[in-house]
Amino acid sequence: MQLTKAIIGRKVGMSQIFDETGKVIPVTVIEAGPCTVTQRKTADKDGYESVQLGFADVKEKHLTKPMKGHFAKQGVAPRKYLKEFRLADCSTYNVGDIVKADVFAEGDKVDVIGTSKGKGYAGVVKRWNAHSQEHTHGVGPVHRSVGSMGANTDPSRVMPGKKMAGHLGAEQVTVQNLQIVKVDAESNMIAVRGAIPGPKGGVVYIKNTVKLNRVKNTQLQGVSSNPQKASARR
């Protein structure tokens, strides 16, 4: 699938919605837009096609001189957050156009990109789900430590990529194949089924999913087409 629509938003928080059968659906409410098209890149001038969206108002005194010149050249109001999306068809967008939450509809599958919550410096038990040592005599005050590094005379060093204590969180996380449960175009709110990364008030980027989850569908087709093999597996 191709990337056809996207928007910038802000995480409001989690809630729940009841469907027509009375079942509870956990959702994350996102303030999606309104976003302004602040720039459009073309293949002739820039070598590729893309659309730059801007979200949230910002005072001009908080901008750097290059950003002031960027917005002045495009003739649009300053925006706090900018994000470039390589859409399949950028010709439908022009500089100054407003993108609202109704660009998506109920039932759409989307990918949400955000920055996870920063948890500071963490040990290996919390950061990598490592086992702690047994609380027995002789362990001392190091039962949650990383333990042996596994390095002897050769190679006499800790290899890169070793799962050790360090900074946890505050990194880009993408959650794929989330379903849009409700779209409120008047208040620019989108309710997405499930959880998304980041704290309340965190900026997120929503775009239509380009990699559908076909694992479950493939498994179901295999069970229906080969009932004997499916029963043998069980």
Side-chain angles (χ1 to χ4, degrees), residues 121-126 128-135 138-149 162-165:
Y121 190 89
V124 292
V125 176
K126 182 177 181 180
W128 300 109
N129 197 28
H131 288 282
S132 61
Q133 301 179 40
E134 293 185 5
H135 295 55
V139 175
V142 293
H143 59 275
R144 290 176 65 91
S145 66
V146 66
S148 174
M149 293 287 101
K162 178 70 176 178
K163 294 183 178 180
M164 302 176 67

Side-chain angles (χ1 to χ4, degrees), residues 2-7 87 93 103-105 108 206-208:
Q2 293 181 331
L3 183 62
T4 58
K5 46 191 176 182
I7 198 171
L87 303 179
Y93 294 91
V103 69
F104 292 99
D108 288 352
I206 311 170
K207 54 186 181 180
N208 68 289

Side-chain angles (χ1 to χ4, degrees), residues 2-4 6 47-51 84-90:
Q2 293 181 331
L3 183 62
T4 58
Y48 65 97
E49 299 277 344
S50 71
V51 173
E84 186 177 297
F85 300 96
R86 294 194 180 189
L87 303 179
D89 185 11
C90 299

Side-chain angles (χ1 to χ4, degrees), residues 80-101:
K80 188 174 183 179
Y81 305 103
L82 299 178
K83 181 68 173 179
E84 186 177 297
F85 300 96
R86 294 194 180 189
L87 303 179
D89 185 11
C90 299
S91 60
T92 57
Y93 294 91
N94 296 313
V95 175
D97 290 350
I98 304 298
V99 181
K100 297 184 178 181

Side-chain angles (χ1 to χ4, degrees), residues 127-206:
R127 191 184 187 198
W128 300 109
N129 197 28
H131 288 282
S132 61
Q133 301 179 40
E134 293 185 5
H135 295 55
T136 58
H137 179 72
V139 175
V142 293
H143 59 275
R144 290 176 65 91
S145 66
V146 66
S148 174
M149 293 287 101
N152 297 318
T153 304
D154 182 22
S156 299
R157 63 191 177 94
V158 178
M159 302 301 291
K162 178 70 176 178
K163 294 183 178 180
M164 302 176 67
H167 189 83
L168 176 61
E171 59 184 3
Q172 179 175 298
V173 179
T174 302
V175 182
Q176 299 178 333
N177 289 293
L178 296 178
Q179 184 180 8
I180 293 181
V181 180
K182 189 175 182 180
V183 176
D184 190 346
E186 295 182 358
S187 57
N188 286 307
M189 293 293 178
I190 293 178
V192 179
R193 186 187 187 107
I196 64 173
K200 294 179 181 178
V203 176
V204 295
Y205 307 104
I206 311 170

Side-chain angles (χ1 to χ4, degrees), residues 33-107:
C35 295
T36 305
V37 179
T38 56
Q39 186 182 10
R40 180 186 161 195
K41 293 186 177 181
T42 60
D44 297 335
K45 184 178 180 181
D46 304 288
Y48 65 97
E49 299 277 344
S50 71
V51 173
Q52 185 188 76
L53 299 182
F55 173 69
D57 297 331
V58 61
K59 294 182 179 180
E60 190 174 349
K61 66 178 182 179
H62 294 154
L63 298 175
T64 60
K65 286 185 178 180
M67 293 307 300
K68 290 180 182 179
H70 174 69
F71 292 118
K73 180 180 179 180
Q74 300 298 329
V76 294
R79 294 297 176 181
K80 188 174 183 179
Y81 305 103
L82 299 178
K83 181 68 173 179
E84 186 177 297
F85 300 96
R86 294 194 180 189
L87 303 179
D89 185 11
C90 299
S91 60
T92 57
Y93 294 91
N94 296 313
V95 175
D97 290 350
I98 304 298
V99 181
K100 297 184 178 181
D102 56 3
V103 69
F104 292 99
E106 296 181 9

